[in-house]
Amino acid sequence: MAFGKMFTVGSEAVEFVQHDPETCTLRVGFRASPKQFVGAVYDYLDVPHTVVGKMFGSPSVGAFINKVIKKTYTVRKVADAVMKPEGATKS
C-alpha cells in the first residue's frame, strides 16, 4: 500500500488519518489514554476519495467516522495501542 500524507485532525477521538488512493484504504489511528500512547490503528477498506473528502469537510472527523465509515466499510485492525516515539509531538 502507498498511503498518502498522514493528517492529524482536531478530534478528541482520532489521532491521524491516511488514505491510499490506489486501494481506497482509509487508515485511522485513534487516540489513547494516557496521552503518551497512540491508540489502535484500523484500516477501512474500499473507502472512495469522495467519502474521504466529505469526512474532512465535516464538522467532526470523529463523528463522521462513527456515523458513516464504521457503519459502511469493512474494517481490519492493523495495530494495538503503542507508545509514541521519543520526541513525538504530544496532542
Side-chain angles (χ1 to χ4, degrees):
M1 281 186 236
F3 285 99
K5 181 179 176 184
M6 181 184 291
F7 292 93
T8 55
V9 293
S11 170
E12 291 181 18
V14 178
E15 181 84 21
F16 71 86
V17 295
Q18 289 178 290
H19 188 251
D20 179 345
E22 291 182 18
T23 64
C24 293
T25 301
L26 178 67
R27 179 162 286 176
V28 179
F30 289 94
R31 293 196 184 275
S33 184
K35 292 198 181 268
Q36 69 264 29
F37 285 87
V38 174
V41 178
Y42 295 88
D43 282 351
Y44 294 90
L45 310 179
D46 301 317
V47 181
H49 186 72
T50 54
V51 174
V52 174
K54 289 178 184 177
M55 177 188 70
F56 280 119
S58 70
S60 168
V61 170
F64 188 92
I65 289 170
N66 283 328
K67 292 178 183 174
V68 177
I69 303 295
K70 286 183 176 182
K71 292 182 178 183
T72 308
Y73 300 98
T74 301
V75 65
R76 178 178 59 214
K77 189 172 190 177
V78 176
D80 290 320
V82 296
M83 286 284 274
K84 287 184 180 178
E86 272 303 309
T89 305
K90 292 187 180 180
S91 307

